[in-house]
Amino acid sequence: MSIAPKYDPSESESRWYEFWESNGFFRSVPDEREPYTIVIPPPNVTGVLHMGHMLNNTIQDILIRRKRLEGYNALWVPGMDHASIATEAKVVKMLREQGIKKSDLTRDEFLGHAFEWKEKYGGIILKQLRKLGASCDWDRTRFTMDDDYYKAVIQVFCDLYEKGFIYRDLRMVNWDPVGLTALSDEEVIYKEKQGLLYHVRYQIEGSDEYVTIATTRPETILGDTAISVHPDDERYQHLVGKKALVPLIGRAIPIIADDYVDREFGTGCLKVTPAHDVNDYEIGQRHNLETIDVLNADGTMSEAAQLYIGEDRFVVRKKISKDLKASGNLVDTENYTNSVGHSERTDAIIEPRLSLQWWVRMGDFSKPAYKAVMDDEVQLIPSKFKNTYRHWMENIKDWCISRQLWWGQQIPAYFLESEKSLDENQRQYFVAPSAEEALEKARAATGQDLNADDLYQDPDVLDTWFSSWLWPFQVFSGITDPGNKEVEYYYPTNDLVTGPDILFFWVARMIIAGYEYEDQRPFQNVYLTGLIRDEKGRKMSKSLGNSPDALALMDLYGADGVRVGILLSSPAGNDLKFDTPLNLEKEGLQSKLCEQGRNFLNKIWNALRLIKGWEVDERATTEKQQIAMDWIGNRIEAAKVELEDHFSKFRISDALMMVYKLTWTEFCSWFLELMKPDRGEAIGKDALEQLIQHFEVICQIAHPFIPFLTEEVWHQLRERDEKDALMMTQLVAPKTELIDQAKLDEFEFIQEVVTEIRAFRAKYELKNKDQIELYINTTKPDLFNAYRGILENFLNTSQIEFADAAPEGAGSTQVRTTEFYIPLPEIDVAAEIEKLKKEIEYTEGFLVKVDKKLSNERFVQNAPANVVDLERKKKSDAEAKLKMLRENLASFSN
């Protein structure tokens, strides 16, 4: 079998993915094996692959591939979220470009366009995940707007309504004036904004007296219905009970006293606008104040404002400040930094708005999910997020689940056509899974002989998260077909991999739903990844232009190379600094991390080419080869144990680094060097077979991290049946009885010796092709005799002997307690002495600095333990080096 001189991922990766998928290797059905299940955090149907997806899905693929190799019935369920706000915005934009307004369409017509858009553009990310190597069971792909899933969401709504957990109420909400919908508190992102603080004076009715009030939102002045002061504030007690005039419109409003007012903030006076501030609304409720909504849903001024009707709120902010100044009511403005809420989806500045919405009562409902995490029945990894979860759950608020959109599951509440003229909160409604069942309820409640045309359905849809919180069991139709074979087999799932930014949006709610509908946790472990940041520590985003094209990275470095690169420094829960250039357009797409990943692939490929180029005959295995095979077999078994420990603790990055070192350093650099036949000679058939067997295990161990290359190498190592895929083999559990730690320690010591003497060669410019004499001062001559052949192989020695002292003209070096002497060619003694003196002087200075740091009690007591330990190691290393340098200098003096 001919092997290309260079590994080409562009050819290999697509070929192997098609091979895996066409042979059904990702497919899982219930059987007698123990299941291992992961459900994908469903990406938005509008989404395309970005660096966050790359990290998250690489980790999931590593976990699922590892479990397949361990013999589990491994299932990774893919799917997509319908993403109501984002998708509706995309469809509205598409229609606008076609000259179509949403308002000119019926709901069904709009949904027809939306599903057409979904079929054409949706799901791109799932295709892109294949390029990454994601081994999902694509036949099971679920979508939160599929008929069966839609039915489940409606069924859950009706069930929770009947149980009293869902209710409808007029409350203050976060309103998105661009998306034209309510949002939950968790969908609001707060950003620091530089603005102005406007100092506005209000005249006291019937007098020349004024009070001054500071506000950042002067446009809401037109909705003021009171001025509030603290009841104990002596400055304003004489005004309580009087009235003030709203600037520009002259409406008289009462001056009230309320404990909420902070006497120390600003002037101690608060304008009360119940329709446009949560706290003002509560004051209004306590004092029976009028509520005047001066903003339309789209953020323009309403007729109730009296002025600036139909104009945008931010345009009006500038206009009203000019008009207030002209009228003498604007006392002053000052720069002011404020934390302003933005819509997570549209980035529009949120308006607090009084609105009739549907809510989930979360108090008692969330208690089982709180207890599950506190008792570690569901484990958050890393555990630092447990406190974050505790804080949120202990302060949980009711969940606003209605959205003023058309794309999504329509709320199954039906109203009487005859009551459309009534205020919204006075209308009767009937909650039922279908219009037919709602009609029966309406007939029973009203006693009227109603028909279908007498009812209309609530036009709002449910929050997207209200569908995705059912994900771990409804992907198996757990709601629509309770107790079915698949949900009984695959649920609860095992591990969830997601970002900490949706710990409450999604994770907490899935745990709540799991206990409510399956009476058990939805997963055992939640692995929370960090965020990917650029070299300046900024979160990667399209708006900053600092995020590389994920697909272009894979084209450049191969999927395996990117997988390695992205995981090299990505421990759980900690942000990853990804090293692509900050100016991608100027500097081009490059990544040292991904380049390191690609180099790793090439190292393995070159190892394959090396052994395939050897001649083979029936000769016996040499002593050196036997030592090497015993060692690598021992080392591989120990590595399996280490890997199990890393995976059990979700130290995925550490697991990769261990595999990287095992493969590159120990297998390729040490083992293959020892197995390599002498120039012009062949390798024995038995030795080669054992070598290939070890290489196959290396491929198995590395496969979850670099699936494409290892599959290619697996098939190149020997002739195999077409369907004999590496990914479907079974990794043999560690044979702990084969691990001889003493032998491993011995070999590690020999490696240190070789490394140190090679460094000695370089220091004294002794060419590798020139043989050296090696004298060893040791108490363990038997050890060195046992590994004599290996030392000769790596060090190119003419002789190895034992000695109590350095021969004349020899330099020395030390590894642990063993000293090594190597005769040096004639050198400029004076120059060498001068060189040693300078090195001694530098090392002594370095040691002084370290000693100074370690003698500082504040440093030793307050610095992290690992930092102090590092300084102590620096000291011991410097002392050992200084001892050796002084001995070398003394040898010249003698």
Side-chain angles (χ1 to χ4, degrees), residues 753-872:
V753 169
V754 170
T755 302
E756 178 60 31
I757 292 177
R758 282 178 166 177
F760 182 93
R761 269 184 176 272
K763 178 180 178 181
Y764 290 100
E765 299 178 354
L766 302 176
K767 296 178 181 178
N768 291 331
K769 68 177 182 177
D770 295 335
Q771 289 190 323
I772 59 171
E773 297 174 16
L774 179 63
Y775 296 88
I776 307 173
N777 186 352
T778 180
T779 58
K780 298 179 180 179
D782 291 345
L783 172 65
F784 288 96
N785 282 327
Y787 289 95
R788 182 178 290 269
I790 290 177
L791 293 173
E792 290 171 347
N793 182 88
F794 280 107
L795 299 178
N796 190 18
T797 58
S798 59
Q799 65 179 51
I800 298 177
E801 294 186 14
F802 300 102
D804 294 331
E808 186 176 347
S812 68
T813 187
Q814 185 171 333
V815 178
R816 302 185 193 177
T817 60
T818 302
E819 291 186 326
F820 300 90
Y821 312 124
I822 301 167
L824 297 171
E826 288 188 17
I827 58 174
D828 185 338
V829 174
E832 194 61 35
I833 289 173
E834 187 61 30
K835 184 178 175 182
L836 282 169
K837 284 180 177 178
K838 286 183 178 179
E839 199 166 351
I840 288 170
E841 183 181 356
Y842 171 81
T843 307
E844 286 174 336
F846 177 80
L847 194 54
V848 168
K849 290 179 182 177
V850 176
D851 277 331
K852 187 176 180 181
K853 189 176 284 189
L854 288 172
S855 64
N856 184 335
E857 289 187 15
R858 178 180 290 180
F859 168 76
V860 174
Q861 291 175 3
N862 298 330
N866 62 318
V867 174
V868 177
D869 288 344
L870 181 61
E871 292 301 317
R872 286 175 176 150

Side-chain angles (χ1 to χ4, degrees), residues 176-216:
D176 181 343
V178 173
L180 298 178
T181 181
L183 302 174
S184 67
D185 289 345
E186 294 77 38
E187 291 168 300
V188 178
I189 308 299
Y190 287 89
K191 303 178 184 179
E192 293 293 316
K193 288 284 185 180
Q194 185 67 44
L196 293 174
L197 191 62
Y198 301 82
H199 296 266
V200 181
R201 64 180 194 169
Y202 291 62
Q203 185 176 1
I204 306 303
E205 186 179 40
S207 79
D208 293 332
E209 189 176 358
Y210 290 87
V211 291
T212 300
I213 298 173
T215 180
T216 58

Side-chain angles (χ1 to χ4, degrees), residues 634-767:
N634 197 347
R635 181 67 194 98
I636 286 172
E637 294 307 316
K640 288 181 184 179
V641 174
E642 291 175 44
L643 267 181
E644 284 189 347
D645 184 56
H646 285 317
F647 273 101
S648 71
K649 296 170 182 172
F650 287 85
R651 296 195 299 243
I652 310 300
S653 184
D654 290 344
L656 170 61
M657 288 306 299
M658 199 227 74
V659 170
Y660 185 95
K661 181 175 181 290
L662 174 71
T663 306
W664 186 303
T665 305
E666 295 173 319
F667 184 81
C668 294
S669 298
W670 286 88
F671 176 64
L672 291 186
E673 178 65 26
L674 292 170
M675 295 298 293
K676 184 170 64 176
D678 293 334
R679 186 185 298 273
E681 295 189 5
I683 187 171
K685 184 178 179 182
D686 291 342
L688 180 62
E689 175 58 27
Q690 287 193 55
L691 185 158
I692 289 174
Q693 288 177 14
H694 289 311
F695 205 164
E696 288 171 333
V697 178
I698 291 287
C699 286
Q700 283 185 305
I701 288 172
H703 176 77
F705 303 96
I706 45 174
F708 294 109
L709 173 80
T710 50
E711 190 73 73
E712 178 72 25
V713 171
W714 173 264
H715 285 267
Q716 294 273 12
L717 279 171
R718 66 171 85 237
E719 293 291 333
R720 300 185 189 277
D721 183 83
E722 182 183 347
K723 292 188 178 182
D724 184 14
L726 169 62
M727 70 164 287
M728 299 305 288
T729 59
Q730 188 160 343
L731 183 64
V732 177
K735 298 175 182 176
T736 53
E737 71 278 5
L738 298 182
I739 301 173
D740 185 337
Q741 191 59 48
K743 287 292 183 184
L744 287 174
D745 292 342
E746 283 181 1
F747 199 89
E748 182 180 341
F749 175 63
I750 295 300
Q751 288 177 306
E752 290 179 28
V753 169
V754 170
T755 302
E756 178 60 31
I757 292 177
R758 282 178 166 177
F760 182 93
R761 269 184 176 272
K763 178 180 178 181
Y764 290 100
E765 299 178 354
L766 302 176
K767 296 178 181 178

Side-chain angles (χ1 to χ4, degrees), residues 369-389:
Y370 172 78
K371 185 176 185 298
V373 173
M374 293 305 102
D375 293 347
D376 290 328
E377 186 172 345
V378 174
Q379 289 200 317
L380 303 184
I381 302 160
S383 58
K384 67 180 181 181
F385 289 107
K386 190 173 177 179
N387 285 333
T388 312
Y389 183 90

Side-chain angles (χ1 to χ4, degrees), residues 43-58:
N44 288 349
V45 69
T46 58
V48 293
L49 197 66
H50 59 60
M51 297 308 292
H53 292 132
M54 296 272 281
L55 173 61
N56 182 283
N57 287 282
T58 293

Side-chain angles (χ1 to χ4, degrees), residues 440-624:
E440 290 303 316
K441 284 189 173 184
R443 285 171 177 167
T446 63
Q448 300 175 31
D449 185 20
L450 303 171
N451 60 48
D453 293 336
D454 293 320
L455 294 182
Y456 69 94
Q457 189 174 354
D458 191 320
D460 291 351
V461 299
L462 288 159
D463 177 14
T464 299
W465 300 104
F466 193 84
S467 58
S468 59
W469 74 326
L470 311 178
W471 191 248
F473 47 84
Q474 186 49 33
V475 293
F476 305 114
S477 301
I479 292 292
T480 47
D481 185 14
N484 71 74
K485 179 182 178 182
E486 293 211 331
V487 79
E488 289 293 315
Y489 181 74
Y490 290 114
Y491 187 92
T493 66
N494 297 83
D495 301 321
L496 178 75
V497 181
T498 189
D501 51 333
I502 56 173
L503 180 58
F504 313 119
F505 280 123
W506 190 46
V507 178
R509 290 170 180 164
M510 282 191 292
I511 300 172
I512 293 169
Y515 282 101
E516 180 66 22
Y517 287 103
E518 296 293 336
D519 198 27
Q520 56 183 321
R521 64 191 180 192
F523 27 70
Q524 182 176 350
N525 303 297
V526 181
Y527 179 99
L528 297 159
T529 67
L531 299 174
I532 299 183
R533 300 185 180 276
D534 67 18
E535 289 174 307
K536 286 187 176 179
R538 302 177 302 176
K539 182 179 177 181
M540 285 189 171
S541 69
K542 289 181 181 178
S543 60
L544 286 175
N546 63 345
S547 180
D549 182 329
L551 295 175
L553 268 179
M554 287 192 284
D555 287 339
L556 186 59
Y557 296 104
D560 283 339
V562 177
R563 286 166 70 116
V564 171
I566 207 169
L567 278 172
L568 279 173
S569 54
S570 183
N574 293 330
D575 292 351
L576 161 66
K577 279 191 178 181
F578 200 67
D579 64 338
T580 47
L582 297 177
N583 190 334
L584 292 173
E585 290 185 6
K586 182 179 178 181
E587 299 179 53
L589 188 64
Q590 52 184 290
S591 163
K592 290 180 181 177
L593 289 171
C594 292
E595 187 175 336
Q596 188 176 351
R598 183 174 60 187
N599 291 344
F600 182 46
L601 308 182
N602 288 333
K603 184 72 174 179
I604 299 171
W605 188 253
N606 288 336
L608 172 70
R609 294 185 65 235
L610 175 68
I611 67 172
K612 282 294 183 178
W614 292 340
E615 294 291 329
V616 185
D617 62 20
E618 297 293 336
R619 73 182 60 204
T621 302
T622 66
E623 181 183 7
K624 178 183 68 173

Side-chain angles (χ1 to χ4, degrees), residues 213 217 298 302 336 432 527 617:
I213 298 173
R217 302 165 68 210
D298 63 356
S302 70
Y336 188 74
Y527 179 99
D617 62 20

